[in-house]
Every structure is written in C-alpha cells, then in structure tokens.
Amino acid sequence: MIELFQKAHLYKDRAAIVSNGNTYSYEDLVVKSSVVATNLLNKASDLKEARIAFLVPPSFEYTAVQWGIWAAGGVAVPLCVQHPLPSMEYVIEDSGSKVIVVHKDYQDVLQPLESRPGLSIILLEGVFKKNSSPLPDIDLNRRAMMLYTSGTTNKPKGVVTTHGIIQSQIITLVEAWEWQKDDYILNILPLHHVHGIINVLSCALWSGACCEFHAKFEAKEVWGAILSGRMTLFMAVPTIYYKLINYWESKNKKDQLLMSEAASKLRLMVSGSAALPVPVLEKWKSITGHTLLERYGMTEIGMGLSNSYRGERRPGYVGLPLPGVALRLVDKDNAPVDKDTPGEIQIKGPCVFKEYWQKEEATKEAFAKDGWFRTGDVAMLHNGMYKILGRDSVDIIKSGGYKISALEIEDVLRGHKDIEDSAVIGLEDEEWGEVVAACLVSGQKALDFEEISKWLRARLPAYKIPRKYILQKKLPRNVLGKVTKNELKSLF
Ligand code: MCA
Ligand code: AMP
C-alpha cells in the first residue's frame, strides 16, 4: 500500500482536513477515498494508469478523489476550477483522460463535452455511492499524477510523477521543515500545482497534521485564521504576502498590533514559486517578526533548494540543496562553473519527474546527456548560498507565482481576427512579480484592447491575460527575424 495511506490508517481519529465548515478525520479520508476507488474501478481490478481528470474545488472531496484515483491505480489529472473550458479541454485531450469527475457546481462548464464519444463525465456523488471493495497493490514506480506546466513550447506539457517521486518530494520537505502531527496549515493555493498539492496538502497528510482549505485566497480570511491562533504554518507565493501586507496596512494601530502578535506565534512561514523581493521580506519581518523562509522549486523537480529552518535565512537567496537533491551549476557547454559565476541550475535525484506526457523529444531535451535535469534557471553560489539570477528564456513569465508561456499567449492572439502579429513579454511588477504585456500589430485596423481582453478571457486563465498593451506598426526584430523582446520592454 502507498505509504501515505498506511500512515493515514495510523492517524485515524486525528483531524485531517477542514473544509466548508466541516472537520474530517484521517479515517473519514481513508473510507471515502476507498469508496471513490471502488466506484472508479467499477469491478475492474486495477485502473492501470488510466488518466482520471477531476474538477473539484479545494476541499475534503478534492482530496478523497485524488487519493481514490491513486488507490485504484489511476493517474490523477487535476483541473483548475478557475480555468475557462478551452484550457481544460486541452488538458483532458492531451492527457487522454476518458473519465472526468466533476463537482456539481462545475457541471455546466463541462456541458459542451458531454456528448463527446468515449468521454465519461461523472458527478462527484457518483463516485461516492458504492461500498468499498479490495483495492490493487500499487508499486512505487507506477505513474501517479500529471500536472500541466508552461514552458518554452506554446502549449503546456503534462509533467508525470510516480508514487515514488511524489513520496520523495514529500519526505524531503517533512524532514527539512520539521513537519509534526500537531501542525495546522491553511491551504489557499490552487490545487493543480506542486505548491498547493505537495508542499501544503500532502506534507500535512503525511505528518498527521491538519490542512484547512479555503476556496480561494482572501487576505481577510487568512488574517482571520492567523488571529484565531489555530495555525502553526503558512506557505504562499510572494504576491500573497504582498496582499497580506496591504491588508495589514489598511487596519488601525490596535488591530495591527493584534494581527502582528498572532502571526508571530506561527512556527514557520514559507515563500516560494517566484522570487521573494527583499522589501517584501523585510516588511513582513517588521510586521510579524518572521524572516520568511524562501525556497526554490519547479513542477518537474518538486523543491530543490531551501533556506534553513533552524539556521541562516538570507534575504534574496534560496539557500542550499534540500536533503536528497543533487545540484550543479553549469555553463553553456554543461561544464560546472566556479562560485560567484552564473550558471544554469541542473538537478538530479529521486524527486525529479519521470517524463513529459507523450513528448519523448521534449523529455530528452530537458535532460543533459549525463542525466541532469536542465531547469533553465540561472543561479550563482555566493558566500556559501545560492542566489537565483533569472531565467535563460525571455518567453517564460512568472506572474502571481504562475508560470506563463509568452508563446502560448501569442499563439492565441494570432487567432483574433484583427491581430496580424503579436509579441508577449513580462514586465517587472511590485505586486505580481511580473505582469503580462502584449505588443500588437494590426495593419490599418483600430484595436479595442478591452474587447481583446474579453475575447482572451474565454480562451485563457485570468492570470495569462495581458494587463498592458501597446500597438505598433511592426515588431522590433533582429537580423535573423527574431523579435527582440528586451528592446520591446523599453517600449512599454
Ligand atoms: C489575477 N489578476 C491578475 C493576475 N492574476 N492581474 C495581473 N496579473 C496576474 N497574474 C487579477 C484578476 O484578473 C482580477 O482582476 C484580480 O486580479 C483578482 O483576481 P483573483 O483571481 O481574485 O486574484 P487573486 O485571488 O488575488 O490571485 C492572486 C493569487 C493567485 C492568489 C496570488 O495568483 C494565486 O493563487 N497564485 C498562486 C499560484 C501558484 O500556486 N503557483 C504555484 C506554481 P479583474 O477583476 O480585473 O479581472 S509553481 C509551483 O508549484 C512550483 C513547484 C513552486 O516552486 O512552488
Ligand atoms: P513552475 O514550473 O510553475 O513550478 O515554476 C517553477 C519556476 O518558478 C522555477 O523554474 C523558477 O523560475 C521559479 N521559482 C520558483 N521558486 C523560486 C524562487 N524562490 N525564486 C525565484 N524563482 C523561483
């Protein structure tokens, strides 16, 4: 049996999940996920790595479905409840999911897919109905999850991890950040990415701790939970800390004092998924007394580097490789670089993903010949700690902690009837890290940027919509015809 489930049997009556005002024990989770597994199996003995997509908001039910898919031998493909249909449709098709489990509140969104041959859309109630029956034995080397990530190709790729890889990603963090069964964490992150799924939910459940879900991030709700004194841990992206600071600043002195005092009692607060600006770190320290623990990760590797739980946390740095993670910095020829010299981060270890789903060539290209995973992030070792310096591609944007491919947005923009050409870039932004900006070419036609944003919203998630536009007669290009994106930035 998967070790995560074995542990849950031991934790039994302890609170595992709080969602929608209810508290669910580990026993509840074990029972419910076995029922889900039995229903999904529908008399078969094993799902044999069939991909099962699920559209369920962050909740006890989300977790029971995820565990149920795993227990039945399937591959969990979480869909994001905030995404428009075309984004979900791409994931469903690319992953080859033939079954989708959907919460009734989102049934209408998937309605256009209902008549699709070979696709079965099952309401959540439908996987909760039968009693459980014996379940297959799952080997650690089997595929378990597929998360979609944007990269230097125009369409997102499915990052496949096995039960063993997931386990190793969890154990590393449980050890490094000293998770305990008395921990209580809030999960306000989306549940189609590593940060929310592994770092928060799975680490909590591995440890016998309690994970409280909120449907989405609201600064007021997070501060409310901090004030209640029930939390011991908090993990979020820098944009969330920025928003929490703004909320704190909007309060009167008396309230601020209470909020600060309550926050100072947590045992750990972590930031990641994007660079934590030093002013945000400093402001948070002045408000709460916490030096945020900054760490570095990626969908393909889980977490790679972390500042220390007990030792030094250096502002602007991401610390040292986590236990079990091997890291090297290399130059363009894959030769290791000296300290104080920028180099690409390459990673090896049991935490590294198995493959990009059905993209053999992309998988091969993602690894150096000697097996190291090429992250595309550039860092430097300085005074014994790693500092992230940037990325080697201008086509990748990080906004609000989400990784966005400029090429994907350009590709969609090309489908608009009035747009002849486009180039998308990320512009530095205090709140979002970067904001998406688009330079458009339309020939003689006038463009209505609001109409374009509206048109895009039906096709892309909100965080991929450009927040700034400019119109140009033509795009700046170099002699090879490639758009010079750094030059483009200066036009905004
Ligand atoms: C939303 N808005 C934006 C953006 N996103 N504006 C500019 N840039 C953006 N990126 C706008 C919306 O369109 C809306 O405006 C307004 O902000 C509020 O939208 P809402 O969706 O309510 O925003 P929010 O809830 O405040 O979202 C901010 C957020 C969210 C909570 C920071 O972006 C988020 O959950 N980020 C976390 C992503 C994450 O977990 N990444 C991990 C992947 P209007 O009303 O005008 O439309 S990375 C990972 O997993 C690796 C392994 C790692 O290292 O962790
Ligand atoms: P994703 O693939 O969405 O998981 O995003 C992973 C990317 O986020 C990494 O390749 C980095 O570019 C970026 N990232 C994650 N953590 C940090 C951090 N602490 N500082 C800077 N960049 C980060």
Side-chain angles (χ1 to χ4, degrees), residues 302-325:
M303 296 303 111
L305 287 150
S306 172
N307 272 285
S308 165
Y309 176 56
R310 292 193 178 266
E312 186 188 3
R313 295 185 199 166
R314 198 186 295 171
Y317 286 70
V318 287
L320 292 168
L322 280 156
V325 176

Short mmCIF file of all heavy atoms in Angstrom, two decimals, residues 302-325:
data_model
loop_
_atom_site.label_atom_id
_atom_site.label_comp_id
_atom_site.label_asym_id
_atom_site.label_seq_id
_atom_site.Cartn_x
_atom_site.Cartn_y
_atom_site.Cartn_z
N GLY A 302 9.77 19.20 -7.91
CA GLY A 302 9.31 19.47 -6.55
C GLY A 302 10.18 20.59 -6.01
O GLY A 302 10.46 21.55 -6.72
N MET A 303 10.66 20.45 -4.77
CA MET A 303 11.52 21.51 -4.21
C MET A 303 12.99 21.14 -4.35
O MET A 303 13.36 19.98 -4.12
CB MET A 303 11.19 21.76 -2.73
CG MET A 303 9.79 22.27 -2.52
SD MET A 303 9.42 23.81 -3.42
CE MET A 303 8.26 23.23 -4.64
N GLY A 304 13.82 22.12 -4.71
CA GLY A 304 15.25 21.86 -4.92
C GLY A 304 16.14 22.48 -3.88
O GLY A 304 17.05 21.86 -3.35
N LEU A 305 15.88 23.74 -3.58
CA LEU A 305 16.75 24.49 -2.67
C LEU A 305 15.89 25.14 -1.59
O LEU A 305 14.76 25.54 -1.85
CB LEU A 305 17.44 25.62 -3.43
CG LEU A 305 18.56 25.24 -4.40
CD1 LEU A 305 18.63 26.25 -5.54
CD2 LEU A 305 19.89 25.20 -3.66
N SER A 306 16.49 25.27 -0.41
CA SER A 306 15.73 25.93 0.65
C SER A 306 16.66 26.62 1.63
O SER A 306 17.75 26.11 1.94
CB SER A 306 14.89 24.89 1.40
OG SER A 306 14.28 25.47 2.53
N ASN A 307 16.22 27.77 2.12
CA ASN A 307 16.90 28.36 3.27
C ASN A 307 16.65 27.43 4.46
O ASN A 307 15.80 26.53 4.40
CB ASN A 307 16.34 29.75 3.54
CG ASN A 307 17.06 30.83 2.73
OD1 ASN A 307 18.18 31.20 3.05
ND2 ASN A 307 16.43 31.29 1.67
N SER A 308 17.37 27.68 5.52
CA SER A 308 17.36 26.73 6.63
C SER A 308 16.20 26.99 7.59
O SER A 308 15.83 28.13 7.84
CB SER A 308 18.70 26.85 7.35
OG SER A 308 18.64 26.23 8.58
N TYR A 309 15.65 25.89 8.11
CA TYR A 309 14.59 26.03 9.11
C TYR A 309 15.16 26.58 10.41
O TYR A 309 14.62 27.50 11.01
CB TYR A 309 13.90 24.68 9.33
CG TYR A 309 12.85 24.72 10.42
CD1 TYR A 309 11.80 25.63 10.35
CD2 TYR A 309 12.91 23.86 11.51
CE1 TYR A 309 10.84 25.69 11.35
CE2 TYR A 309 11.95 23.91 12.50
CZ TYR A 309 10.92 24.82 12.42
OH TYR A 309 9.97 24.88 13.41
N ARG A 310 16.29 26.01 10.82
CA ARG A 310 16.86 26.41 12.12
C ARG A 310 18.03 27.37 12.00
O ARG A 310 18.36 28.09 12.93
CB ARG A 310 17.31 25.18 12.91
CG ARG A 310 16.13 24.34 13.34
CD ARG A 310 16.48 23.30 14.36
NE ARG A 310 15.27 22.58 14.73
CZ ARG A 310 14.51 22.90 15.77
NH1 ARG A 310 14.84 23.89 16.57
NH2 ARG A 310 13.41 22.21 16.03
N GLY A 311 18.70 27.34 10.83
CA GLY A 311 19.90 28.16 10.67
C GLY A 311 19.63 29.45 9.91
O GLY A 311 18.58 30.06 10.06
N GLU A 312 20.60 29.80 9.06
CA GLU A 312 20.53 31.11 8.39
C GLU A 312 19.43 31.18 7.31
O GLU A 312 19.26 30.24 6.53
CB GLU A 312 21.89 31.40 7.72
CG GLU A 312 21.94 32.79 7.13
CD GLU A 312 23.21 33.05 6.29
OE1 GLU A 312 24.02 32.13 6.12
OE2 GLU A 312 23.33 34.18 5.79
N ARG A 313 18.70 32.29 7.29
CA ARG A 313 17.78 32.60 6.16
C ARG A 313 18.26 33.91 5.57
O ARG A 313 18.08 34.96 6.20
CB ARG A 313 16.34 32.73 6.65
CG ARG A 313 15.82 31.42 7.17
CD ARG A 313 14.36 31.51 7.55
NE ARG A 313 14.05 30.40 8.44
CZ ARG A 313 12.94 30.32 9.17
NH1 ARG A 313 12.06 31.29 9.11
NH2 ARG A 313 12.73 29.28 9.96
N ARG A 314 18.86 33.80 4.40
CA ARG A 314 19.48 35.01 3.86
C ARG A 314 18.56 35.69 2.84
O ARG A 314 18.21 35.08 1.83
CB ARG A 314 20.82 34.64 3.21
CG ARG A 314 21.73 35.84 3.03
CD ARG A 314 22.97 35.49 2.26
NE ARG A 314 23.86 34.55 2.97
CZ ARG A 314 24.91 33.99 2.39
NH1 ARG A 314 25.21 34.25 1.12
NH2 ARG A 314 25.66 33.14 3.06
N PRO A 315 18.19 36.95 3.09
CA PRO A 315 17.31 37.66 2.15
C PRO A 315 17.88 37.68 0.73
O PRO A 315 19.07 37.92 0.53
CB PRO A 315 17.27 39.08 2.72
CG PRO A 315 17.59 38.92 4.17
CD PRO A 315 18.55 37.77 4.26
N GLY A 316 17.01 37.37 -0.25
CA GLY A 316 17.46 37.39 -1.66
C GLY A 316 18.11 36.10 -2.10
O GLY A 316 18.51 35.98 -3.27
N TYR A 317 18.23 35.13 -1.20
CA TYR A 317 18.88 33.85 -1.53
C TYR A 317 17.88 32.70 -1.32
O TYR A 317 16.92 32.85 -0.57
CB TYR A 317 20.10 33.62 -0.64
CG TYR A 317 21.28 34.49 -1.00
CD1 TYR A 317 21.26 35.86 -0.76
CD2 TYR A 317 22.41 33.94 -1.59
CE1 TYR A 317 22.34 36.67 -1.11
CE2 TYR A 317 23.50 34.74 -1.94
CZ TYR A 317 23.45 36.10 -1.69
OH TYR A 317 24.51 36.89 -2.04
N VAL A 318 18.17 31.57 -1.98
CA VAL A 318 17.27 30.42 -1.81
C VAL A 318 17.93 29.28 -1.03
O VAL A 318 17.41 28.17 -0.99
CB VAL A 318 16.74 29.90 -3.17
CG1 VAL A 318 15.70 30.85 -3.74
CG2 VAL A 318 17.86 29.65 -4.16
N GLY A 319 19.07 29.55 -0.42
CA GLY A 319 19.68 28.58 0.49
C GLY A 319 20.49 27.52 -0.20
O GLY A 319 21.23 27.79 -1.16
N LEU A 320 20.31 26.28 0.26
CA LEU A 320 21.14 25.15 -0.18
C LEU A 320 20.26 24.00 -0.64
O LEU A 320 19.07 23.96 -0.31
CB LEU A 320 22.00 24.69 1.00
CG LEU A 320 23.08 25.69 1.43
CD1 LEU A 320 23.69 25.30 2.77
CD2 LEU A 320 24.17 25.81 0.36
N PRO A 321 20.84 23.03 -1.41
CA PRO A 321 20.03 21.90 -1.86
C PRO A 321 19.38 21.17 -0.68
O PRO A 321 19.99 20.99 0.37
CB PRO A 321 21.05 21.00 -2.56
CG PRO A 321 22.14 21.92 -2.97
CD PRO A 321 22.22 22.98 -1.92
N LEU A 322 18.14 20.76 -0.88
CA LEU A 322 17.41 20.02 0.16
C LEU A 322 17.98 18.61 0.26
O LEU A 322 18.63 18.13 -0.68
CB LEU A 322 15.93 19.98 -0.22
CG LEU A 322 15.17 21.27 0.14
CD1 LEU A 322 13.94 21.45 -0.73
CD2 LEU A 322 14.80 21.28 1.62
N PRO A 323 17.71 17.89 1.37
CA PRO A 323 18.21 16.52 1.50
C PRO A 323 17.77 15.67 0.31
O PRO A 323 16.61 15.75 -0.11
CB PRO A 323 17.53 16.02 2.78
CG PRO A 323 17.01 17.21 3.48
CD PRO A 323 16.92 18.33 2.53
N GLY A 324 18.70 14.93 -0.25
CA GLY A 324 18.37 14.03 -1.36
C GLY A 324 18.42 14.69 -2.73
O GLY A 324 18.25 14.04 -3.75
N VAL A 325 18.63 16.02 -2.76
CA VAL A 325 18.67 16.72 -4.06
C VAL A 325 20.13 17.00 -4.42
O VAL A 325 20.87 17.59 -3.63
CB VAL A 325 17.91 18.07 -3.98
CG1 VAL A 325 18.03 18.84 -5.30
CG2 VAL A 325 16.45 17.84 -3.62
#
